[in-house]
């Protein structure tokens, strides 16, 4: 979070300087006015989004996710794993260690791939943010288009990696 | 915007009551939400300012030639590259993506940008390479690129149908 804040602050500073050179104070004020309007428009939706995100976090514990995985294999396993990826709340500090535990449980590598693609593309706890900060229609179209990707990626991984687990995934030096 | 807020509010209310029934931790959920929002607020406000500046600074000519629907595959490739470089979380990345959209970028560019940020965003690199190894990160990234381009192309096709 701190790193992102530094990146944002430095980027803002650079753009403010560029705006000053190009259009002076008027352009800077125009940019700030755009930012203010966006903030006002999204304020209520942001508050509601955070409520939704936190309630999802409470509802879907890691233990609950754990119980869903490992029960199925093949296409069904890939679909469940992708959905579980989308449902697991939390940032990279939460889901990467969880995904790493798949190898210890002996789950095949394609389940891991489907899970990671599911987390990155579905991420249901991120959806309210996508809707409120970008645009509801764009969010809908994007989600519909990318819906099959974790399944396709999982199937591709199943075909390419057969039943290897992450533990022996690259031991033979090929994928 | 009002409809979206109403739908989200209904979802929040449903989840609140589901948690009340399932585990009784619904109030804890509200506290977590408030804490997270407070923590993310400086980032969100900073991202809004950044997005505002991007919106007024992107030259119209650049948008028309490189990012708009008319830019074709160029916009999709640029969107994919942009998503890769957008190494930040959703609170910071989404307002920036919104500013690219507001400046006139095509649907294909924006969808490629979001998909690429989701799958390829460089902020994931340290985690993926340290948890699963550099080779895994490399192969997963290579596998992801065609998906980003395909998503952008499909979105562009949808945009042409909607016109």
């Amino acid at each position: 979070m701190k790193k992102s804040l530094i990146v944002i602050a430095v980027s803002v500073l650079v753009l403010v300087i560029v705006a000053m050179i190009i259009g002076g104070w008027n352009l800077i004020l125009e940019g700030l006015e755009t930012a203010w309007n966006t903030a006002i428009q999204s304020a209520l939706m942001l508050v509601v989004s955070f409520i939704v995100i936190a309630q999802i976090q409470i509802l879907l514990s890691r233990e609950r996710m754990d119980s869903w995985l490992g029960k199925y294999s093949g296409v069904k396993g890939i679909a469940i794993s992708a959905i579980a990826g989308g449902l697991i709340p939390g940032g990279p500090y939460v889901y990467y260690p969880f995904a790493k535990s798949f190898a210890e449980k002996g789950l095949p590598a394609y389940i891991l791939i489907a899970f990671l693609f599911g987390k990155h593309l579905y991420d249901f706890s991120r959806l309210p943010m996508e809707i409120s900060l970008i645009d509801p229609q764009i969010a809908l179209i994007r989600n519909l288009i990318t819906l099959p990707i974790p399944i396709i990626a999982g199937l591709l991984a199943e075909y390419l990696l057969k039943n290897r687990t992450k533990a022996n995934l690259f031991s033979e030096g090929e994928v | 915007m009002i409809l979206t807020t109403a739908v989200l509010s209904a979802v929040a209310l449903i989840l609140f009551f589901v948690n009340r029934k399932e585990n009784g931790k619904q109030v804890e959920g509200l506290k977590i939400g408030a804490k997270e929002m407070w923590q993310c607020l400086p980032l969100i406000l900073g991202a809004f300012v950044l997005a505002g500046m991007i919106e007024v600074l992107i030259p119209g000519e650049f948008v028309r030639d490189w990012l708009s629907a008319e830019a074709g595959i160029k916009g999709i490739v640029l969107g994919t590259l942009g998503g890769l470089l957008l190494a930040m979380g959703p609170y910071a990345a989404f307002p920036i993506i919104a500013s690219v959209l507001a400046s006139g970028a095509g649907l294909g560019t924006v969808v490629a940008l979001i998909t690429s940020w989701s799958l390829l965003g460089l902020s994931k690199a340290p985690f993926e390479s340290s948890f699963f190894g550099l080779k895994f990160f490399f192969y997963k990234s290579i596998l992801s690129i065609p998906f980003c381009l395909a998503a952008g192309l499909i979105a562009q096709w949808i945009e042409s149908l909607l016109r």
Side-chain angles (χ1 to χ4, degrees):
Chain A
M1 186 78 84
K2 219 172 190 178
K3 264 186 200 164
S4 290
L5 199 58
I6 293 168
V7 171
I8 293 274
V10 171
S11 309
V12 167
L13 191 69
V14 169
L15 289 190
V16 165
I17 294 168
V18 172
M20 188 71 195
I21 295 166
I22 294 174
W25 283 107
N26 281 345
L27 195 60
I28 295 174
L29 288 174
E30 201 184 319
L32 290 176
E33 198 184 331
T34 308
W36 175 252
N37 290 337
T38 313
I40 293 295
Q41 280 170 10
S42 340
L44 182 62
M45 219 187 299
L46 270 174
V47 173
V48 181
S49 297
F50 274 100
I51 295 173
V52 172
I53 291 166
Q55 293 295 332
I56 291 174
Q57 276 179 27
I58 290 286
L59 188 65
L60 299 165
S61 64
R62 192 177 148 151
E63 290 72 32
R64 187 171 286 208
M65 293 284 106
D66 224 2
S67 69
W68 291 357
L69 293 160
K71 275 187 187 169
Y72 307 96
S73 61
V75 181
K76 215 172 190 179
I78 288 168
I80 299 279
S81 181
I83 293 167
L87 286 171
I88 193 169
Y93 292 103
V94 177
Y95 71 84
Y96 278 114
F98 180 63
K100 195 174 167 55
S101 71
F102 289 7
E104 292 148 28
K105 290 168 197 149
L107 294 177
Y110 65 82
I111 294 288
L112 169 72
I113 296 282
F115 177 85
L116 286 178
F117 271 79
K119 173 65 187 173
H120 293 156
L121 287 172
Y122 297 164
D123 202 348
F124 300 110
S125 62
R126 193 181 69 196
L127 194 59
M129 284 293 159
E130 192 174 346
I131 291 169
S132 57
L133 291 175
I134 300 181
D135 181 81
Q137 257 183 321
I138 302 285
L140 177 72
I141 293 172
R142 198 282 297 170
N143 277 285
L144 285 176
I145 291 173
T146 56
L147 193 70
I149 293 178
I151 313 290
I152 297 168
L155 287 170
L156 264 174
E158 188 189 19
Y159 174 73
L160 293 169
L161 305 170
K162 304 288 181 271
N163 282 327
R164 287 190 220 179
T165 63
K166 170 62 191 76
N168 64 10
L169 187 53
F170 300 116
S171 57
E172 291 160 43
E174 55 165 328
V175 173
Chain B
M1 191 77 90
I2 293 168
L3 180 70
T4 315
T5 310
V7 172
L8 271 179
S9 304
V11 172
L13 210 62
I14 291 167
L15 286 169
F16 180 88
F17 284 108
V18 170
N19 272 328
R20 195 177 126 171
K21 198 182 164 200
E22 287 269 317
N23 48 45
K25 289 182 179 173
Q26 73 283 2
V27 179
E28 195 185 318
L30 289 179
K31 283 178 189 167
I32 291 172
K35 195 179 160 194
E36 272 189 20
M37 196 171 119
W38 182 248
Q39 283 173 344
C40 295
L41 207 57
L43 193 63
I44 295 172
L45 292 177
F48 278 152
V49 175
L50 183 61
M53 297 310 298
I54 291 173
E55 207 173 315
V56 295
L57 276 174
I58 292 185
E61 205 178 314
F62 175 77
V63 174
R64 200 172 52 246
D65 293 347
W66 290 91
L67 303 174
S68 68
E70 287 73 30
I73 188 80
K74 274 191 290 182
I76 292 163
V77 173
L78 211 62
T80 303
L81 193 68
L84 172 85
L85 299 174
L86 215 55
M88 48 189 73
Y91 307 118
F94 285 164
I96 294 169
I97 295 170
S99 70
V100 173
L101 174 71
S103 68
L107 187 62
T109 305
V110 174
V111 167
L113 185 58
I114 303 171
T115 310
S116 167
W117 168 80
S118 304
L119 288 174
L120 296 166
L122 277 177
S123 56
K124 293 177 183 75
F127 293 100
E128 261 166 33
S129 52
S130 59
F131 277 103
F132 305 112
L134 261 177
K135 223 170 181 179
F136 179 87
F137 166 71
F138 177 75
Y139 283 120
K140 187 189 159 271
S141 301
I142 294 290
L143 178 68
S144 301
I145 293 170
F147 287 126
C148 301
L149 298 173
L153 284 170
I154 294 169
Q156 198 172 58
W157 174 68
I158 291 173
E159 191 176 27
S160 69
L161 290 181
L162 292 174
R163 271 189 200 165

